[in-house]
Amino acid sequence: MCELCEGLALTEGAEQKVYRFDDHSVIKLNGSIFYEYWLDYFNSPLIHNYFFKSTLYEFLGFKIIDDSLFAVVK
């Protein structure tokens, strides 16, 4: 688990872990398991941001948890 997010977990699925950030935002850790390349993953939030401007994804960086790499978005 993300030590910065302990106690803030909301849900978890095959692809991502979701944590409460504040009253209006969440942090998503995405393992990119449904994409062949990370570039394919990054196209997904770009398309989302184009169509859904009121709920923009903000890329925060990468996090390694249990030897797995996750993209972190808010």
Side-chain angles (χ1 to χ4, degrees):
M1 175 187 276
C2 174
E3 62 275 358
L4 298 174
C5 302
E6 283 187 46
L8 303 175
L10 294 176
T11 189
E12 183 175 325
E15 182 180 23
Q16 57 195 4
K17 303 169 188 299
V18 182
Y19 301 91
R20 180 182 320 282
F21 180 74
D22 59 25
D23 289 339
H24 306 286
S25 302
V26 296
I27 297 290
K28 291 184 177 183
L29 280 63
N30 190 305
S32 183
I33 64 169
F34 295 124
Y35 303 94
E36 187 170 357
Y37 303 103
W38 276 104
L39 182 59
D40 298 330
Y41 162 76
F42 284 112
N43 283 326
S44 181
L46 285 173
I47 292 167
H48 171 92
N49 286 353
Y50 179 81
F51 287 108
F52 305 104
K53 294 181 183 359
S54 65
T55 58
L56 294 176
Y57 282 120
E58 176 185 352
F59 176 70
L60 300 178
F62 289 100
K63 179 86 176 150
I64 296 175
I65 302 173
D66 299 327
D67 296 325
S68 296
L69 182 66
F70 290 86
V72 182
V73 296
K74 177 179 159 205

